[in-house]
Amino acid sequence: MIIISLLLLASLLPHLTFTARVNVGIVDGTEAKPHSRPYMVSVQSNKTHICGGFLISDEFVLTAGHCRNGSQILTVVVGAHDLRNSKNSDRIGVKSYIPHPSYTIHLPWNDIMLLRLQEKVNLNNDVKWISLPKKGEDVEVNTLCSVAGWGQLQTNGPLSSLLMEANVHVMNNSECYKRWGQTYYSVEQMMCTRGNGGSCRGDSGGPFINIKT
Ligand SMILES: *[C@@H]1O[C@H](CO)[C@@H](O)[C@H](O)[C@H]1NC(C)=O
Ligand SMILES: *[C@@H]1O[C@H](CO)[C@@H](O)[C@H](O)[C@H]1NC(C)=O
Ligand SMILES: *[C@@H]1O[C@H](CO)[C@@H](O)[C@H](O)[C@H]1NC(C)=O
C-alpha cells in the first residue's frame, strides 16, 4: 500500500514541518530506536496522547493547531519512548498556547501552534530540541524524509504506545494538487509525501525531518 500524506508546512519551515490532515495512517513503520528522537513530545489531554509535537527550544514545543480543542488543557511528555512507562519521562504543563493567528478549526490552512511550557525542560540525552530550517530553504522532490509518532498503527486502529517512524519521499506539487485539490492543498504551506508507511491520526503535530540535514 502506498500512503499519500499531506503535510502542512509552515511557510517559515520548508523542510521541517509537521503532519496534519493526513488521510491514512504511523502505518507500516518501524519502532524507533528508543530515545533516538529526543525532540519528540507526546501532546496529551487528561493523560491521553492526542498529538505529536517537538521541542524547538528548552521552553517551546511546535505542534499542529488542531491539536487543541477549545479551551482544552494540554500537557506535554518529554523523554518518552513507551508511553505506558513514565519512569524516564517528564510531564510538563503548558503556560501559553500560541496558535497561528489565522488558524481556524474547520479549515486546513495555518494549522500550526506553539506551546510555551510552564518550565524549561531538563536537557539530557533523552531530551533535546531540534533546529528549524532557515527561512527560504527548499526541499526538492523525492528528498528522503522521515515522520515519527505515537499515532494509529492503521486507519481507525489503536494508538501505538511505542514511538514509531517511517521514511517518506517528497512528492511534486502537481501530483499533490491532483490528489488533494484546492480545498485542502496550499502550495505555499504544504507538501505531500509518498511511502510504504506514513502518518495517521494521532501523529499530527509531529515533525517532518529531512534525513540528510
Ligand atoms: C480523564 O480520564 C479518566 C480516566 O481515564 C476518566 O475517568 C475521566 O472521565 C477523564 N476526564 C475527562 C474530562 O475526559
Ligand atoms: C471538541 O469539543 C467538542 C465539544 O466538547 C466536541 O463535540 C468535539 O468532538 C471535540 N472535537 C475534537 C476534535 O476533539
Ligand atoms: C510529478 O509526479 C508525477 C507522478 O510521479 C509524474 O507523472 C509527473 O510527471 C511529475 N511532474 C513533474 C512536473 O515533475
Side-chain angles (χ1 to χ4, degrees):
M1 180 175 54
I2 302 286
I3 293 174
I4 312 290
S5 301
L6 184 63
L7 302 159
L8 186 75
L9 179 71
S11 50
L12 73 168
L13 309 176
H15 68 184
L16 187 152
T17 178
F18 57 93
T19 53
R21 301 272 169 179
V22 293
N23 57 346
V24 288
I26 282 169
V27 179
D28 286 337
T30 53
E31 183 185 344
K33 180 169 174 278
H35 311 295
S36 59
R37 296 174 180 270
Y39 46 81
M40 282 297 304
V41 312
S42 166
V43 175
Q44 303 195 347
S45 169
N46 195 23
K47 301 201 172 165
T48 303
H49 173 88
I50 51 172
C51 269
F54 49 100
L55 287 163
I56 56 165
S57 79
D58 59 359
E59 191 175 7
F60 283 93
V61 165
L62 197 54
T63 187
H66 72 270
C67 293
R68 184 172 188 230
N69 188 359
S71 53
Q72 206 174 22
I73 293 168
L74 303 178
T75 57
V76 307
V77 174
V78 301
H81 176 66
D82 183 346
L83 292 179
R84 290 168 302 190
N85 175 1
S86 59
K87 203 170 54 191
N88 297 314
S89 60
D90 266 333
R91 179 181 302 280
I92 305 173
V94 175
K95 180 151 83 181
S96 45
Y97 302 87
I98 311 161
H100 190 290
S102 302
Y103 174 69
T104 57
I105 194 105
H106 301 296
L107 295 171
W109 324 122
N110 307 305
D111 188 359
I112 188 168
M113 176 168 61
L114 279 168
L115 305 176
R116 183 173 196 167
L117 304 180
Q118 272 168 358
E119 57 199 85
K120 292 189 175 184
V121 296
N122 293 316
L123 298 171
N124 57 49
N125 280 342
D126 299 347
V127 181
K128 288 181 185 159
W129 73 73
I130 183 169
S131 301
L132 296 173
K134 293 196 179 60
K135 188 175 176 178
E137 273 179 38
D138 192 24
V139 197
E140 282 174 30
V141 171
N142 290 327
T143 302
L144 179 61
C145 296
S146 70
V147 291
W150 288 276
Q152 290 174 357
L153 296 168
Q154 57 191 52
T155 308
N156 298 321
L159 293 173
S160 175
S161 54
L162 305 175
L163 180 63
M164 304 293 286
E165 62 188 9
N167 285 348
V168 293
H169 286 92
V170 175
M171 200 187 262
N172 71 41
N173 292 336
S174 49
E175 180 77 357
C176 185
Y177 183 84
K178 208 164 72 189
R179 302 274 178 161
W180 291 88
Q182 61 184 17
T183 315
Y184 296 106
Y185 181 55
S186 154
V187 68
E188 292 85 24
Q189 295 190 4
M190 303 175 192
M191 58 174 74
C192 283
T193 62
R194 72 168 83 239
N196 294 320
S199 312
C200 197
R201 191 171 286 272
D203 292 321
S204 290
F208 174 56
I209 295 161
N210 184 340
I211 286 174
K212 276 188 299 196
T213 57

